[in-house]
Every structure is written in C-alpha cells, then in structure tokens.
Amino acid sequence: MAAVTSPETNPQPRVYFQTPPGAEDTEPPVRKQGRVTVKYDRKELRRRLNLEEWIVERLTELYDCEEEAIPELEIDVDELLDMSSDADRASRVKDLLVDCYKPTDDFVTELLDKIRGMQKLSTPQKK
C-alpha cells in the first residue's frame, strides 16, 4: 500500500510503502540460485553458429540438393579441434565427404581456415 504526501505538508511529493499487517516478522523469501552447468563465450557461440550455417550452405552446394536432402553426416568441429594437425583434420573431413561427387578440396581448405583459432565448446562434467 502506498501513501502520497500532500503538497501542503511537503514541497516535494514522496511515496511511502507500508508493509501489510502481520508481514513484519516474516523473513523475505529465499531465492534459489540456479546452477550454471556450462559457461560459453557469446562471441564464440556466434562464431560457431555462423560456421555451422556456412557448412550447411556449402554442403547444399556440394551435394547439389536442398538442406533436407543432404546425406546424414556430422562434421564435429570439436572433434576437428581436438586433432593435432591440419592434415588429420582434412583427412577426417574428406572421409566424411566420400559420397560427394563434386570436388571437396576448396571446402576442406576453407573449413580448416574458419576453425583455426576457434575454441572447443566444453560440456559439463558429470559428478
């Protein structure tokens, strides 16, 4: 409930909030803190999303089809980032694109350039 003072008693109006009767002795509700399981850098997430959109766009060009018709394949960026060399990464991507009848070398080179410097997105550890 709020009470406003009149201009006659005070030159500046003020608002006072009154506590409902019987509520003075109760403690404020305890707010539970949510546990953050994974913390991601927003910029890195945006970069990853842009990369995934680029991959889908290029795969539709390589397979010459709509996105829904692209063969089931998963280019796992975190897996590629775990590999020790660009040669290993390139070999892995080429293995995934073995059914593609168009040349994939440009795609592989561009993909490796795009993931260079990216961070691996960590997943929460189970306790």
Side-chain angles (χ1 to χ4, degrees), residues 8 56 58 66 81 94:
E8 297 88 33
V56 169
R58 289 300 311 268
E66 295 297 317
L81 291 172
K94 286 179 183 181

Side-chain angles (χ1 to χ4, degrees), residues 39-120:
K39 185 177 181 180
Y40 295 121
D41 178 20
R42 185 171 251 158
K43 185 177 178 182
E44 189 66 28
L45 279 175
R46 172 57 52 196
R47 217 173 144 196
R48 183 67 66 103
L49 180 61
N50 290 341
L51 175 66
E52 289 182 8
E53 289 171 351
W54 177 84
I55 289 172
V56 169
E57 181 182 311
R58 289 300 311 268
L59 288 177
T60 57
E61 292 171 11
L62 285 173
Y63 284 95
D64 202 21
C65 63
E66 295 297 317
E67 181 179 340
E68 295 79 25
I70 296 173
E72 283 294 318
L73 63 97
E74 181 179 343
I75 298 175
D76 186 348
V77 176
D78 286 337
E79 177 189 357
L80 295 176
L81 291 172
D82 277 341
M83 294 180 175
S84 58
S85 70
D86 276 353
D88 292 340
R89 292 180 189 101
S91 174
R92 175 67 179 137
V93 174
K94 286 179 183 181
D95 288 346
L96 292 170
L97 300 174
V98 71
D99 295 334
C100 185
Y101 64 89
K102 289 185 176 181
T104 59
D105 291 337
D106 288 343
F107 170 76
V108 172
T109 303
E110 287 180 60
L111 176 62
L112 296 182
D113 286 343
K114 287 183 178 290
I115 68 169
R116 197 167 287 118
M118 281 188 142
Q119 299 172 8
K120 182 178 174 186

Side-chain angles (χ1 to χ4, degrees), residues 21-37:
E24 288 121 17
D25 295 341
T26 61
E27 292 183 26
V30 178
R31 195 169 162 185
K32 289 186 178 182
Q33 295 289 324
R35 289 191 336 160
V36 177
T37 55

